[in-house]
Amino acid sequence: DPGATAANGALEKNITLKLAKELAQKLEDTGEYRAILTRENDVFIKLSERVKFARDRNADLFVSIHADSISRENVKGVSIY
């Protein structure tokens, strides 16, 4: 499931995985947090399995990162939900 495709051809799955890895590293670098990713490579994991993964590890916070693609040149930025 590649998700959205950017105007330049970039795939959501690659963008979000890279962002997740960078965010996890920044959190770990603070020495205050332990980040556990549900995936380290290009594999699809259903939402229910991701939630179970977090619950099985007694996570305090579960973050699911997504990227949108909008086919309008005048629209720029990010959406957070």
Side-chain angles (χ1 to χ4, degrees):
D1 181 12
T5 303
N8 68 358
L11 299 177
E12 175 183 12
K13 67 178 184 174
N14 297 332
I15 294 167
T16 57
L17 182 57
K18 184 174 181 177
L19 174 65
K21 287 180 175 182
E22 289 181 19
L23 177 59
Q25 187 61 58
K26 288 195 180 292
L27 289 169
E28 292 277 349
D29 288 348
T30 69
E32 296 183 39
Y33 304 99
R34 184 173 68 121
I36 304 171
L37 300 177
T38 57
R39 65 184 181 111
E40 293 283 343
N41 52 33
D42 184 11
V43 60
F44 178 75
I45 302 172
K46 294 191 309 189
L47 177 58
S48 61
E49 292 174 21
R50 287 180 266 157
V51 171
K52 183 179 181 331
F53 180 92
R55 287 183 177 152
D56 288 348
R57 286 155 183 81
N58 297 313
D60 292 319
L61 179 66
F62 172 77
V63 177
S64 184
I65 300 172
H66 302 270
D68 295 330
S69 179
I70 300 174
S71 301
R72 292 182 15 204
E73 283 189 30
N74 63 334
V75 177
K76 297 190 183 326
V78 298
S79 59
I80 299 171
Y81 55 93

